[in-house]
Amino acid sequence: MVTGLIGRSAGRLLIPFIFIFGFYVVAHGHISPGGGFQGGAVIATGVALVLVCYYYRECMENFIEAKNFKLIESAGLILFICTALAGLVLASSFFFNWLNASGGLFGNPVEYGVNAGDLFTAGIIPVLNFAVGIEVFGGLSVVLLYMFAGLKESSAKEDESETVSFAQTEDES
C-alpha cells in the first residue's frame, strides 16, 4: 500500500489532534455528550491513521506492538473492576459512588440549577469513563492491528521499485 508524501504529512498533522480530542471526549464524558466508549474509539481512530499513513511492518518495528495494546485493554478493565469493588469495600454496595461530594478529585458537589458543569464532579463516574476509554482504545487498536496484519502489504522498497519502473515506462513512451 502506497501512501504518498501528502497523505503522510496530513496524517502526522492530524494524529496529535485526534488523540487530544479523544482524551477531551473521555474527560468530559460526565458533563457533555460522549464518554469513555466514544473517546476510546476516537483515540483508536488515531491508531488507524498511523497504520494507514505508515507501512504496517514499520509500525510494528518502530511504534507499537499488539501485546502492548492488550496490556492497555487489561489495565482499563482492572481499573473499572477495582473502582466498582472499592464501593463495596469503602461503602456498602458494588458500584457505590463513594467519591461523590467527598471533596477530593472528582468529589466536588454538583451545583444546583443551570450551569456549565464542573469537571471535578460526579465521583467515580469520570474514573469509570477513563477506565472504559482505556479499554476501548486498547481493544479497538488490537482489532485494527490484526486486521492490518491480514492485509498483503508491499514493502517500501517494492513500492519504490514500482514507482521507478513506472517512471521509466513513462519516459520510454
Side-chain angles (χ1 to χ4, degrees):
M1 182 166 63
V2 178
T3 303
L5 179 63
I6 294 173
R8 284 186 178 210
S9 298
R12 285 184 190 140
L13 186 67
L14 287 175
I15 288 168
F17 292 110
I18 289 172
F19 286 146
I20 290 170
F21 180 67
F23 286 118
Y24 172 83
V25 170
V26 170
H28 290 82
H30 63 289
I31 55 175
S32 66
F37 187 89
Q38 292 85 355
V42 169
I43 297 169
T45 303
V47 173
L49 190 57
V50 168
L51 290 171
V52 168
C53 288
Y54 297 95
Y55 290 97
Y56 175 77
R57 289 186 199 118
E58 279 181 39
C59 292
M60 292 295 102
E61 293 170 1
N62 299 328
F63 299 124
I64 43 183
E65 292 182 29
K67 70 178 182 182
N68 294 337
F69 287 116
K70 290 179 184 177
L71 290 174
I72 290 170
E73 181 185 13
S74 299
L77 181 62
I78 289 170
L79 178 63
F80 191 88
I81 291 171
C82 288
T83 304
L85 283 175
L88 191 61
V89 173
L90 297 173
S92 58
S93 64
F94 193 65
F95 275 116
F96 184 80
N97 197 351
W98 50 276
L99 275 176
N100 190 26
S102 66
L105 183 66
F106 303 122
N108 291 345
V110 178
E111 296 178 21
Y112 291 105
V114 178
N115 57 54
D118 183 4
L119 189 62
F120 300 107
T121 58
I124 67 167
I125 294 172
V127 177
L128 295 175
N129 271 339
F130 279 108
V132 171
I134 291 169
E135 186 175 347
V136 169
F137 161 62
L140 287 179
S141 298
V142 168
V143 169
L144 287 168
L145 288 176
Y146 284 125
M147 287 175 60
F148 274 81
L151 293 176
K152 181 179 181 319
E153 182 180 68
S154 60
S155 66
K157 290 179 183 177
E158 292 171 348
D159 286 342
E160 288 174 10
S161 66
E162 286 179 16
T163 305
V164 169
S165 66
F166 179 73
Q168 289 173 348
T169 307
E170 289 289 320
D171 290 340
E172 292 173 1
S173 60

Coordinates of all heavy atoms in Angstrom, one line a residue, residues 25-109:
V25 N -12.9 14.0 24.9 CA -14.3 13.4 25.0 C -14.3 12.5 26.2 O -15.4 12.4 26.9 CB -14.5 12.6 23.7 CG1 -15.8 11.7 23.8 CG2 -14.7 13.6 22.5
V26 N -13.3 11.7 26.5 CA -13.3 10.9 27.7 C -13.4 11.7 29.0 O -14.2 11.4 29.8 CB -12.0 10.0 27.7 CG1 -11.9 9.3 29.0 CG2 -12.0 9.0 26.6
A27 N -12.6 12.7 29.1 CA -12.5 13.5 30.3 C -13.8 14.3 30.6 O -14.2 14.5 31.7 CB -11.3 14.5 30.3
H28 N -14.5 14.7 29.5 CA -15.7 15.5 29.7 C -17.0 14.7 29.5 O -18.1 15.2 29.4 CB -15.7 16.7 28.7 CG -14.7 17.7 29.1 ND1 -13.4 17.6 28.7 CD2 -14.8 18.9 29.8 CE1 -12.7 18.6 29.1 NE2 -13.6 19.4 29.8
G29 N -16.9 13.4 29.6 CA -18.0 12.5 29.3 C -19.1 12.6 30.3 O -20.3 12.3 30.0
H30 N -18.8 13.0 31.5 CA -19.9 13.1 32.5 C -20.6 14.4 32.5 O -21.6 14.6 33.2 CB -19.3 12.8 33.9 CG -18.3 13.8 34.4 ND1 -17.1 13.8 33.8 CD2 -18.4 14.7 35.3 CE1 -16.4 14.8 34.4 NE2 -17.1 15.3 35.3
I31 N -20.1 15.4 31.8 CA -20.8 16.7 31.7 C -21.2 17.1 30.3 O -21.8 18.2 30.1 CB -19.9 17.8 32.4 CG1 -18.6 17.9 31.7 CG2 -19.8 17.7 33.8 CD1 -17.7 19.1 32.2
S32 N -20.8 16.3 29.3 CA -21.2 16.6 27.9 C -21.4 15.3 27.2 O -21.0 14.3 27.7 CB -20.1 17.5 27.3 OG -18.9 16.7 27.1
P33 N -22.0 15.4 26.0 CA -22.2 14.2 25.2 C -20.8 13.5 24.9 O -19.8 14.2 24.6 CB -22.8 14.6 23.9 CG -23.5 15.9 24.3 CD -22.6 16.5 25.3
G34 N -20.8 12.2 25.0 CA -19.5 11.5 24.8 C -19.3 10.6 26.0 O -20.3 10.1 26.7
G35 N -18.1 10.2 26.3 CA -17.8 9.4 27.4 C -16.7 8.5 27.1 O -15.9 8.7 26.1
G36 N -16.5 7.4 27.9 CA -15.4 6.5 27.7 C -15.3 5.8 26.4 O -14.3 5.7 25.7
F37 N -16.5 5.2 26.0 CA -16.5 4.4 24.8 C -16.2 5.3 23.6 O -15.4 4.9 22.7 CB -17.9 3.7 24.7 CG -17.9 2.8 23.5 CD1 -17.5 1.5 23.7 CD2 -18.3 3.2 22.3 CE1 -17.5 0.6 22.6 CE2 -18.3 2.3 21.2 CZ -17.9 1.0 21.4
Q38 N -16.9 6.4 23.5 CA -16.7 7.3 22.3 C -15.3 7.8 22.3 O -14.7 7.9 21.2 CB -17.8 8.5 22.4 CG -19.2 8.0 22.2 CD -19.9 7.6 23.5 OE1 -19.2 7.5 24.5 NE2 -21.1 7.3 23.4
G39 N -14.8 8.3 23.4 CA -13.4 8.8 23.4 C -12.4 7.8 23.1 O -11.4 8.0 22.4
G40 N -12.6 6.6 23.6 CA -11.7 5.5 23.3 C -11.7 5.1 21.8 O -10.6 4.8 21.2
A41 N -12.9 5.2 21.2 CA -13.0 4.9 19.8 C -12.3 6.0 19.0 O -11.6 5.7 18.0 CB -14.5 4.8 19.4
V42 N -12.4 7.3 19.4 CA -11.7 8.4 18.7 C -10.2 8.2 18.8 O -9.5 8.4 17.8 CB -12.2 9.7 19.3 CG1 -11.3 10.8 18.7 CG2 -13.6 10.0 18.9
I43 N -9.7 7.8 20.0 CA -8.3 7.6 20.1 C -7.8 6.5 19.3 O -6.8 6.5 18.6 CB -7.9 7.4 21.6 CG1 -8.3 8.6 22.4 CG2 -6.5 7.1 21.8 CD1 -8.2 8.4 23.9
A44 N -8.6 5.4 19.2 CA -8.2 4.3 18.3 C -8.2 4.7 16.9 O -7.5 4.1 16.1 CB -9.2 3.1 18.6
T45 N -9.0 5.7 16.5 CA -9.0 6.2 15.1 C -7.6 6.8 14.8 O -7.2 6.7 13.7 CB -10.1 7.3 15.0 OG1 -11.4 6.7 15.3 CG2 -10.2 7.8 13.5
G46 N -7.0 7.4 15.8 CA -5.6 7.9 15.6 C -4.7 6.7 15.3 O -3.8 6.9 14.5
V47 N -4.9 5.6 16.0 CA -4.0 4.4 15.7 C -4.3 3.9 14.3 O -3.3 3.6 13.6 CB -4.3 3.3 16.7 CG1 -3.6 2.0 16.4 CG2 -3.9 3.7 18.1
A48 N -5.6 4.0 13.9 CA -5.9 3.6 12.5 C -5.2 4.5 11.5 O -4.7 4.0 10.5 CB -7.4 3.6 12.3
L49 N -5.2 5.8 11.8 CA -4.5 6.7 10.9 C -3.0 6.5 10.8 O -2.4 6.6 9.8 CB -4.8 8.1 11.3 CG -4.3 9.3 10.4 CD1 -5.0 9.1 9.0 CD2 -4.7 10.6 11.0
V50 N -2.4 6.1 12.0 CA -1.0 5.7 12.0 C -0.7 4.5 11.1 O 0.2 4.5 10.3 CB -0.5 5.4 13.4 CG1 0.9 4.8 13.4 CG2 -0.4 6.7 14.2
L51 N -1.6 3.5 11.2 CA -1.4 2.3 10.3 C -1.6 2.6 8.9 O -1.0 2.0 8.0 CB -2.4 1.3 10.8 CG -2.1 0.7 12.2 CD1 -3.2 -0.2 12.7 CD2 -0.8 -0.1 12.2
V52 N -2.5 3.5 8.5 CA -2.8 3.9 7.1 C -1.6 4.7 6.6 O -1.2 4.5 5.4 CB -4.1 4.6 7.0 CG1 -4.2 5.2 5.6 CG2 -5.3 3.7 7.3
C53 N -1.1 5.6 7.4 CA 0.0 6.5 6.9 C 1.3 5.8 6.7 O 2.1 6.2 5.9 CB 0.1 7.7 7.8 SG -1.2 8.8 7.7
Y54 N 1.6 4.8 7.6 CA 2.9 4.2 7.5 C 2.7 2.7 7.1 O 1.6 2.2 7.2 CB 3.5 4.2 8.9 CG 3.8 5.7 9.3 CD1 2.9 6.4 10.1 CD2 5.0 6.3 8.9 CE1 3.1 7.7 10.5 CE2 5.2 7.6 9.2 CZ 4.3 8.3 10.0 OH 4.5 9.6 10.4
Y55 N 3.7 2.0 6.8 CA 3.7 0.6 6.5 C 3.4 -0.1 7.8 O 4.0 0.2 8.8 CB 5.0 0.2 5.8 CG 5.1 0.7 4.5 CD1 5.9 1.9 4.2 CD2 4.5 0.1 3.4 CE1 6.0 2.4 3.0 CE2 4.6 0.7 2.1 CZ 5.4 1.8 1.9 OH 5.5 2.3 0.7
Y56 N 2.7 -1.2 7.7 CA 2.3 -2.0 8.9 C 3.6 -2.5 9.5 O 3.8 -2.4 10.8 CB 1.4 -3.2 8.5 CG 1.1 -4.1 9.6 CD1 0.2 -3.8 10.6 CD2 1.8 -5.3 9.7 CE1 -0.1 -4.6 11.6 CE2 1.5 -6.2 10.7 CZ 0.6 -5.8 11.7 OH 0.3 -6.7 12.7
R57 N 4.6 -3.0 8.7 CA 5.8 -3.5 9.3 C 6.6 -2.4 10.0 O 7.2 -2.7 11.1 CB 6.7 -4.1 8.2 CG 6.1 -5.4 7.7 CD 7.0 -6.1 6.7 NE 6.2 -7.0 5.9 CZ 6.1 -6.9 4.6 NH1 6.7 -6.0 3.9 NH2 5.3 -7.8 3.9
E58 N 6.6 -1.2 9.4 CA 7.3 -0.1 10.1 C 6.6 0.2 11.5 O 7.3 0.4 12.5 CB 7.1 1.2 9.3 CG 8.1 1.3 8.1 CD 7.9 2.6 7.4 OE1 7.6 3.7 8.1 OE2 8.0 2.6 6.2
C59 N 5.3 0.1 11.5 CA 4.6 0.4 12.8 C 5.0 -0.7 13.8 O 5.2 -0.4 15.0 CB 3.1 0.4 12.5 SG 2.6 1.8 11.6
M60 N 5.0 -1.9 13.4 CA 5.3 -3.0 14.3 C 6.7 -2.9 14.8 O 7.0 -3.2 16.0 CB 5.0 -4.4 13.6 CG 3.6 -4.7 13.3 SD 2.6 -4.8 14.8 CE 1.8 -3.3 14.9
E61 N 7.6 -2.5 14.0 CA 9.0 -2.5 14.4 C 9.4 -1.2 15.2 O 10.2 -1.3 16.1 CB 9.9 -2.5 13.1 CG 9.9 -3.9 12.4 CD 10.6 -3.8 11.1 OE1 11.1 -2.8 10.7 OE2 10.5 -4.9 10.4
N62 N 8.7 -0.1 14.8 CA 9.2 1.2 15.4 C 8.2 1.7 16.5 O 8.6 2.4 17.4 CB 9.4 2.2 14.3 CG 10.4 1.8 13.4 OD1 11.4 1.1 13.7 ND2 10.2 2.2 12.1
F63 N 6.9 1.6 16.3 CA 6.0 2.3 17.1 C 5.3 1.4 18.2 O 5.4 1.6 19.4 CB 4.9 2.9 16.3 CG 5.4 3.9 15.3 CD1 5.1 3.8 14.0 CD2 6.1 5.0 15.7 CE1 5.5 4.7 13.1 CE2 6.6 5.9 14.8 CZ 6.3 5.8 13.5
I64 N 4.6 0.4 17.7 CA 3.6 -0.3 18.6 C 3.6 -1.8 18.3 O 4.0 -2.3 17.3 CB 2.2 0.2 18.3 CG1 2.0 0.3 16.8 CG2 1.9 1.5 18.9 CD1 0.7 0.9 16.3
E65 N 3.2 -2.5 19.4 CA 3.0 -4.0 19.3 C 1.7 -4.3 19.8 O 1.1 -3.6 20.7 CB 4.1 -4.7 20.1 CG 5.5 -4.6 19.5 CD 6.5 -5.4 20.3 OE1 6.1 -6.4 20.9 OE2 7.6 -5.0 20.3
A66 N 1.1 -5.4 19.3 CA -0.3 -5.7 19.7 C -0.3 -6.1 21.2 O -1.3 -5.8 21.9 CB -0.8 -6.9 18.9
K67 N 0.8 -6.7 21.7 CA 0.7 -7.1 23.1 C 0.6 -5.9 24.0 O 0.1 -6.0 25.1 CB 1.9 -8.0 23.5 CG 3.2 -7.3 23.5 CD 4.4 -8.2 23.9 CE 5.7 -7.4 24.0 NZ 6.8 -8.3 24.4
N68 N 1.2 -4.8 23.6 CA 1.1 -3.5 24.4 C -0.3 -3.1 24.5 O -0.8 -2.6 25.6 CB 2.0 -2.4 23.9 CG 3.4 -2.8 24.0 OD1 3.8 -3.6 24.8 ND2 4.3 -2.2 23.1
F69 N -1.1 -3.1 23.4 CA -2.5 -2.7 23.4 C -3.3 -3.7 24.2 O -4.3 -3.3 24.8 CB -3.0 -2.6 22.0 CG -2.5 -1.4 21.3 CD1 -1.7 -1.5 20.2 CD2 -2.8 -0.1 21.8 CE1 -1.2 -0.4 19.6 CE2 -2.3 1.0 21.2 CZ -1.5 0.9 20.1
K70 N -2.9 -5.0 24.2 CA -3.7 -6.0 25.1 C -3.5 -5.6 26.6 O -4.4 -5.7 27.4 CB -3.2 -7.4 24.8 CG -3.6 -7.9 23.5 CD -3.0 -9.3 23.3 CE -3.4 -9.8 21.9 NZ -2.8 -11.2 21.6
L71 N -2.3 -5.2 26.9 CA -2.0 -4.7 28.3 C -2.8 -3.5 28.6 O -3.3 -3.4 29.8 CB -0.5 -4.5 28.5 CG 0.4 -5.7 28.5 CD1 1.9 -5.4 28.6 CD2 0.0 -6.7 29.6
I72 N -2.9 -2.6 27.7 CA -3.7 -1.3 27.9 C -5.1 -1.7 28.1 O -5.8 -1.2 29.1 CB -3.5 -0.4 26.7 CG1 -2.1 0.2 26.7 CG2 -4.5 0.7 26.8 CD1 -1.7 1.0 25.5
E73 N -5.7 -2.6 27.3 CA -7.1 -3.0 27.5 C -7.3 -3.7 28.8 O -8.3 -3.4 29.5 CB -7.4 -4.0 26.4 CG -8.9 -4.4 26.4 CD -9.2 -5.5 25.4 OE1 -8.3 -6.0 24.8 OE2 -10.4 -5.8 25.2
S74 N -6.4 -4.5 29.2 CA -6.5 -5.2 30.5 C -6.4 -4.2 31.7 O -7.1 -4.3 32.7 CB -5.4 -6.2 30.7 OG -5.5 -7.2 29.7
A75 N -5.5 -3.2 31.5 CA -5.4 -2.1 32.6 C -6.8 -1.4 32.7 O -7.2 -1.1 33.9 CB -4.3 -1.2 32.3
G76 N -7.4 -1.1 31.6 CA -8.7 -0.4 31.7 C -9.7 -1.3 32.4 O -10.5 -0.8 33.2
L77 N -9.8 -2.6 32.1 CA -10.7 -3.5 32.7 C -10.4 -3.6 34.2 O -11.4 -3.6 35.1 CB -10.6 -4.8 32.1 CG -11.6 -5.9 32.6 CD1 -13.0 -5.5 32.4 CD2 -11.3 -7.2 31.9
I78 N -9.2 -3.7 34.6 CA -8.8 -3.8 36.0 C -9.2 -2.5 36.8 O -9.7 -2.6 37.9 CB -7.3 -4.1 36.2 CG1 -7.1 -5.6 35.7 CG2 -6.8 -3.9 37.6 CD1 -5.6 -5.9 35.6
L79 N -9.0 -1.4 36.2 CA -9.3 -0.1 36.8 C -10.9 0.0 37.0 O -11.3 0.4 38.0 CB -8.9 1.1 35.9 CG -9.3 2.5 36.4 CD1 -8.6 2.7 37.8 CD2 -8.9 3.5 35.4
F80 N -11.6 -0.5 36.0 CA -13.1 -0.5 36.1 C -13.6 -1.4 37.2 O -14.4 -1.0 38.1 CB -13.7 -0.9 34.8 CG -15.2 -0.7 34.7 CD1 -15.7 0.4 34.2 CD2 -16.0 -1.8 35.0 CE1 -17.0 0.6 34.1 CE2 -17.4 -1.6 34.9 CZ -17.9 -0.4 34.5
I81 N -13.0 -2.6 37.3 CA -13.5 -3.5 38.3 C -13.0 -3.1 39.7 O -13.8 -3.2 40.7 CB -12.9 -4.9 38.0 CG1 -13.6 -5.5 36.8 CG2 -13.1 -5.9 39.2 CD1 -13.0 -6.8 36.2
C82 N -11.8 -2.6 39.8 CA -11.3 -2.1 41.1 C -12.1 -0.9 41.6 O -12.4 -0.8 42.8 CB -9.9 -1.7 41.1 SG -8.8 -3.2 40.9
T83 N -12.5 0.0 40.7 CA -13.3 1.1 41.1 C -14.7 0.7 41.6 O -15.2 1.2 42.6 CB -13.5 2.1 39.9 OG1 -12.2 2.5 39.5 CG2 -14.3 3.3 40.3
A84 N -15.3 -0.3 40.9 CA -16.6 -0.8 41.4 C -16.4 -1.6 42.7 O -17.3 -1.4 43.6 CB -17.1 -1.7 40.3
L85 N -15.4 -2.3 42.9 CA -15.2 -3.1 44.1 C -14.9 -2.2 45.3 O -15.2 -2.5 46.4 CB -14.1 -4.1 43.9 CG -14.4 -5.4 43.2 CD1 -13.2 -6.2 43.0 CD2 -15.5 -6.1 43.9
A86 N -14.2 -1.0 45.0 CA -13.9 -0.1 46.1 C -15.2 0.4 46.7 O -15.2 0.7 47.9 CB -13.1 1.1 45.5
G87 N -16.3 0.5 46.0 CA -17.6 0.9 46.6 C -18.0 -0.1 47.6 O -18.6 0.2 48.6
L88 N -17.8 -1.4 47.3 CA -18.2 -2.5 48.2 C -17.3 -2.5 49.4 O -17.9 -2.7 50.5 CB -18.0 -3.8 47.4 CG -18.6 -5.1 48.1 CD1 -20.1 -4.9 48.2 CD2 -18.2 -6.3 47.3
V89 N -16.1 -2.1 49.3 CA -15.2 -2.1 50.5 C -15.3 -0.8 51.3 O -15.4 -0.9 52.5 CB -13.7 -2.3 50.0 CG1 -12.7 -2.1 51.1 CG2 -13.5 -3.6 49.3
L90 N -15.4 0.3 50.6 CA -15.4 1.6 51.3 C -16.8 2.0 51.8 O -17.0 2.8 52.7 CB -14.8 2.7 50.5 CG -13.3 2.5 50.1 CD1 -12.9 3.6 49.1 CD2 -12.5 2.6 51.4
A91 N -17.8 1.5 51.1 CA -19.2 1.9 51.4 C -20.0 0.6 51.6 O -19.5 -0.3 52.3 CB -19.8 2.8 50.3
S92 N -21.1 0.5 51.0 CA -22.0 -0.6 51.3 C -22.3 -1.5 50.1 O -22.9 -2.6 50.3 CB -23.2 -0.2 52.0 OG -23.9 0.7 51.2
S93 N -22.1 -1.0 48.9 CA -22.5 -1.7 47.8 C -21.6 -1.6 46.6 O -20.8 -0.7 46.5 CB -23.9 -1.3 47.3 OG -23.9 0.1 46.9
F94 N -21.7 -2.6 45.7 CA -20.9 -2.6 44.4 C -21.3 -1.4 43.6 O -22.5 -1.1 43.5 CB -21.2 -3.9 43.7 CG -20.3 -4.3 42.6 CD1 -19.0 -4.5 42.9 CD2 -20.8 -4.3 41.3 CE1 -18.1 -4.9 41.8 CE2 -19.9 -4.7 40.3 CZ -18.6 -5.0 40.5
F95 N -20.4 -0.7 43.0 CA -20.6 0.5 42.2 C -21.1 1.7 43.0 O -21.7 2.6 42.5 CB -21.5 0.2 41.0 CG -20.9 -0.3 39.8 CD1 -21.2 -1.6 39.3 CD2 -19.9 0.4 39.1 CE1 -20.6 -2.1 38.2 CE2 -19.3 -0.1 38.0 CZ -19.6 -1.3 37.6
F96 N -21.0 1.6 44.3 CA -21.4 2.8 45.1 C -20.5 4.0 44.8 O -19.3 3.8 44.7 CB -21.3 2.5 46.6 CG -21.8 3.6 47.5 CD1 -23.2 3.7 47.7 CD2 -20.9 4.5 48.1 CE1 -23.7 4.8 48.5 CE2 -21.4 5.5 48.9 CZ -22.8 5.7 49.1
N97 N -21.1 5.1 44.6 CA -20.4 6.3 44.2 C -19.7 7.0 45.5 O -20.1 8.0 46.0 CB -21.3 7.3 43.5 CG -20.5 8.4 42.7 OD1 -19.3 8.5 42.9 ND2 -21.2 9.1 42.0
W98 N -18.7 6.4 45.9 CA -18.0 6.8 47.2 C -17.2 8.1 47.1 O -16.8 8.7 48.1 CB -17.1 5.6 47.7 CG -16.2 5.1 46.7 CD1 -16.5 4.1 45.8 CD2 -14.8 5.4 46.5 NE1 -15.4 3.9 45.0 CE2 -14.4 4.7 45.4 CE3 -14.0 6.4 47.1 CZ2 -13.1 4.8 44.9 CZ3 -12.7 6.5 46.6 CH2 -12.3 5.7 45.5
L99 N -16.9 8.5 45.9 CA -16.2 9.8 45.7 C -17.1 11.0 45.6 O -16.6 12.1 45.7 CB -15.3 9.7 44.4 CG -14.0 9.0 44.4 CD1 -13.4 8.9 43.1 CD2 -13.1 9.8 45.4
N100 N -18.4 10.8 45.4 CA -19.3 11.9 45.2 C -19.3 12.7 46.5 O -19.5 12.2 47.6 CB -20.7 11.3 44.9 CG -21.6 12.4 44.4 OD1 -21.2 13.5 43.9 ND2 -22.9 12.2 44.6
A101 N -19.2 14.0 46.3 CA -19.2 15.0 47.3 C -18.2 14.7 48.5 O -18.5 15.1 49.6 CB -20.6 15.2 47.9
S102 N -17.1 14.1 48.1 CA -16.1 13.8 49.2 C -15.1 15.0 49.3 O -14.3 15.0 50.2 CB -15.4 12.5 48.8 OG -14.6 12.7 47.6
G103 N -15.0 15.9 48.3 CA -14.1 17.0 48.4 C -12.8 16.8 47.7 O -12.1 17.7 47.4
G104 N -12.5 15.5 47.3 CA -11.2 15.3 46.7 C -11.3 15.4 45.2 O -12.2 16.1 44.7
L105 N -10.5 14.7 44.5 CA -10.5 14.7 43.0 C -11.9 14.1 42.6 O -12.2 13.0 43.0 CB -9.4 13.8 42.4 CG -9.2 13.8 40.9 CD1 -8.9 15.2 40.4 CD2 -8.2 12.8 40.5
F106 N -12.6 14.7 41.7 CA -13.9 14.4 41.2 C -14.9 14.3 42.4 O -16.0 13.7 42.2 CB -13.9 13.0 40.5 CG -13.0 12.9 39.4 CD1 -12.0 12.0 39.3 CD2 -13.1 13.8 38.3 CE1 -11.1 11.9 38.2 CE2 -12.2 13.8 37.2 CZ -11.2 12.8 37.2
G107 N -14.6 15.0 43.5 CA -15.5 14.9 44.6 C -16.2 16.2 44.9 O -16.8 16.4 46.0
N108 N -16.1 17.2 44.0 CA -16.8 18.5 44.2 C -18.3 18.2 44.2 O -18.8 17.5 43.3 CB -16.4 19.5 43.2 CG -15.0 20.0 43.4 OD1 -14.4 19.7 44.4 ND2 -14.5 20.6 42.3
P109 N -19.1 18.9 45.0 CA -20.5 18.8 44.9 C -21.1 19.5 43.7 O -20.5 20.4 43.2 CB -21.1 19.4 46.2 CG -20.0 20.3 46.7 CD -18.7 19.7 46.2

